[in-house]
Amino acid sequence: MAIFNYYIILACRLSSEPLRAAGAQVTIEDRQTGVETVNKKGNPLALLPIGVFLALFVGVGVASGDFYVMPAVVGFVIAFAVALCLNPKRKLSDKLAVAARSMGEENIMTMCLIFILAGGFSGAVSAAGGVESTVNLGLSVLPARFAVAGLFVIGCFISLSMGTSMGTIAALAPIAAGISEKTGIEMAICIAAVVCGAMFGDNLSMISDTTIAAARTQGCDMRDKFTENFLIVLPAAVITVGIFLALTWNSSFELREELTFNLWRVLPYLVILVGALVGVNVFVVLLSGTALALVVGIATGAFALAECFQVVAGGIESMYEITVISMLVAGIVGLVREAGGIDWIMGLIRRRVRSERGAEFGVAALVSAVDVATANNTVAIVIAGPIAKEISDEFHVEPKRTASLLDIFASVWQGVIPYGAQLLSAAELTALTPFAIIPYLFYPLLMALSSVGFILLRKRTPR
């Protein structure tokens, strides 16, 4: 309940801040430096840092045939340097202050804390033998042909209850890796099923920050938004299950070893899953799971009492890169926004809206473009929400529908952009690249197609 209240306060605070209309000039005072600056008209060149990162990451990977050649963190450091070159008339110290404030936003710091706690849990449960036991238990009950679809369904339930895609990925990624190793199913398919399931709940959960932000900015009840949203994405979820079943149905994987497991070593994962399903705070869930994993590890002889700190530290250290990347991305977004990149996107889309159906497509395009630019679906909704509200009011779009479209299309892009926290985390936890996972991310694509279908086919009352 605490995290629910926290996100309401965050969404209210952010959504109540006046957004700049595209093309307007607004004078603001830098809260840290006291320097007055003018936000100029929307500027497409402000999106250059994101383009530089994509060109480097994709270009070097394609040229070399190996996407590991360009570490993501190096690409983001270069993009950050390019972002600092924006607004050349501003002092470097002022631009660094803007980046630092963006890095220090509450939702960014919360995400980083989740990374750290998830890493500690992963290190403890892995050292205790929990991953292997959980995988073996699952495969002894569930045939290999159902394993990938099962990962997706479990991910849907966990993310729906926990309200966080990152926590879901952190909990299930090691299990997905274990299933891949045991069955021979391609690792990218297994982890893609986890990411797809994580994005299902991230978009729908009543305690998800995106749901709260979308409903708050549009002034609708969250239950109404949930009902509207669920009906739109349900076909996508059902089809996704079918696709994952079809991918593995005729496969003849042979398990070459006995499936031995220890139920005590599975217990930490059960606590994580049950805690998530009943809606316990994600921080409490991860801390409790870590503590239990340490107790189980010592009790079963997996490691000695003196090694507890080392196994937790090892897991936390494995999350350092993704934590640094998240902060760099936040800093880049702050500089891009300051230079007018977000304003340009908003103005470009807003000028093309002509009808109720066009307004719905405009809202979808608006939040999509902002999410691609910011790599954070909550931030994208908070930024695009007030403009979407104006568009929807003008063309008589129901608030619950606008809120659903905001959340859906922010999640669609957040689930597939290679520099988003979800794919970067999934890749980090499974030693893959985001580009290896993307071809199997069926749910975000189907969610977009289902939403477009609802926009096109929905009967509209003449006004």
Side-chain angles (χ1 to χ4, degrees):
M1 193 65 184
I3 197 167
F4 178 85
N5 294 332
Y6 160 76
Y7 279 132
I8 288 181
I9 294 171
L10 175 63
C12 290
R13 179 176 66 81
L14 291 176
S15 63
S16 63
E17 294 181 358
L19 288 173
R20 302 186 301 276
Q25 291 190 343
V26 182
T27 302
I28 60 172
E29 183 176 345
D30 189 299
R31 295 177 183 174
Q32 291 189 3
T33 65
V35 176
E36 286 194 349
T37 62
V38 176
N39 290 314
K40 299 182 179 180
K41 293 181 179 180
N43 178 15
L45 292 178
L47 301 173
L48 182 62
I50 297 172
V52 167
F53 168 76
L54 290 175
L56 281 173
F57 198 74
V58 177
V60 172
V62 170
S64 64
D66 182 3
F67 283 100
Y68 290 100
V69 171
M70 169 61 75
V73 67
V74 175
F76 280 117
V77 168
I78 295 172
F80 183 75
V82 173
L84 288 174
C85 296
L86 301 174
N87 280 336
K89 294 182 179 180
R90 270 199 94 176
K91 293 180 180 179
L92 178 61
S93 58
D94 294 341
K95 289 187 279 189
L96 287 172
V98 169
R101 282 202 309 274
S102 186
M103 291 177 180
E105 286 179 353
E106 289 176 282
N107 60 331
I108 299 298
M109 288 295 99
T110 299
M111 184 170 63
C112 289
L113 286 173
I114 290 175
F115 285 148
I116 292 171
L117 295 182
F121 170 74
S122 178
V125 77
S126 296
V131 174
E132 183 176 2
S133 286
T134 302
V135 170
N136 287 349
L137 174 61
L139 291 178
S140 66
V141 176
L142 194 67
R145 63 178 60 178
F146 294 105
V148 175
L151 279 172
F152 171 68
V153 173
I154 293 171
C156 289
F157 278 107
I158 294 175
S159 59
L160 190 62
S161 302
M162 188 183 288
T164 167
S165 55
M166 299 307 304
T168 303
I169 291 170
L172 290 183
I175 295 178
I179 287 176
S180 173
E181 181 182 350
K182 296 287 184 180
T183 64
I185 299 174
E186 189 175 344
M187 176 78 76
I189 296 177
C190 293
I191 194 62
V194 171
V195 175
C196 288
M199 297 315 298
F200 177 88
D202 191 288
N203 165 237
L204 276 175
S205 175
M206 293 286 285
I207 60 171
S208 169
D209 48 350
T210 60
T211 292
I212 295 169
R216 176 64 186 174
T217 58
Q218 302 311 305
C220 71
D221 186 84
M222 284 194 294
R223 285 185 175 83
D224 292 338
K225 182 264 182 189
F226 174 87
T227 302
E228 181 82 7
N229 199 339
F230 182 76
L231 293 174
I232 294 173
V233 302
L234 180 60
V238 172
I239 295 172
T240 299
V241 171
I243 291 175
F244 281 130
L245 282 174
L247 283 176
T248 56
W249 189 260
N250 294 322
S251 301
S252 56
F253 301 115
E254 294 184 4
L255 299 175
R256 294 178 293 274
E257 58 184 271
E258 185 180 355
L259 295 175
T260 59
F261 55 87
N262 184 320
L263 288 177
W264 288 109
R265 292 177 175 176
V266 177
L267 188 60
Y269 268 117
L270 293 179
V271 169
I272 287 285
L273 301 185
V274 172
L277 290 173
V278 299
V280 178
N281 183 301
V282 62
F283 292 98
V284 174
V285 167
L286 289 172
L287 285 171
S288 301
T290 302
L292 183 58
L294 292 175
V295 171
V296 169
I298 294 170
T300 59
F303 49 78
L305 177 62
E307 297 176 309
C308 285
F309 300 115
Q310 285 77 13
V311 298
V312 173
I316 293 174
E317 288 171 4
S318 70
M319 302 301 286
Y320 283 173
E321 183 176 352
I322 183 61
T323 303
V324 171
I325 286 175
S326 298
M327 296 178 67
L328 283 171
V329 169
I332 292 168
V333 167
L335 293 168
V336 167
R337 183 188 298 119
E338 181 77 6
I342 306 301
D343 284 340
W344 180 80
I345 292 172
M346 287 184 172
L348 180 68
I349 295 171
R350 194 177 183 186
R351 290 193 296 269
R352 286 161 172 76
V353 174
R354 296 289 183 272
S355 64
E356 182 183 353
R357 182 174 283 109
E360 293 179 0
F361 277 119
V363 168
L366 173 65
V367 74
S368 296
V370 178
D371 187 76
V372 170
T374 61
N376 186 304
N377 48 345
T378 306
V379 171
I381 291 170
V382 170
I383 291 174
I387 299 296
K389 176 65 173 172
E390 292 180 20
I391 295 172
S392 298
D393 287 347
E394 182 177 350
F395 292 94
H396 308 291
V397 180
E398 290 182 282
K400 63 181 181 180
R401 176 167 289 271
T402 304
S404 297
L405 292 174
L406 281 171
D407 205 348
I408 287 170
F409 281 93
S411 295
V412 165
W413 290 100
Q414 190 64 30
V416 298
I417 52 177
Y419 50 93
Q422 285 75 9
L423 275 186
L424 288 171
S425 177
E428 180 76 18
L429 289 167
T430 53
L432 294 170
T433 67
F435 294 99
I437 303 170
I438 288 174
Y440 304 104
L441 295 174
F442 306 113
Y443 178 69
L445 175 61
L446 290 168
M447 184 164 52
L449 293 175
S450 179
S451 302
V452 169
F454 269 76
I455 294 174
L456 291 173
L457 301 176
R458 179 192 179 213
K459 293 182 179 180
R460 301 176 188 277
T461 304
R463 299 183 185 277

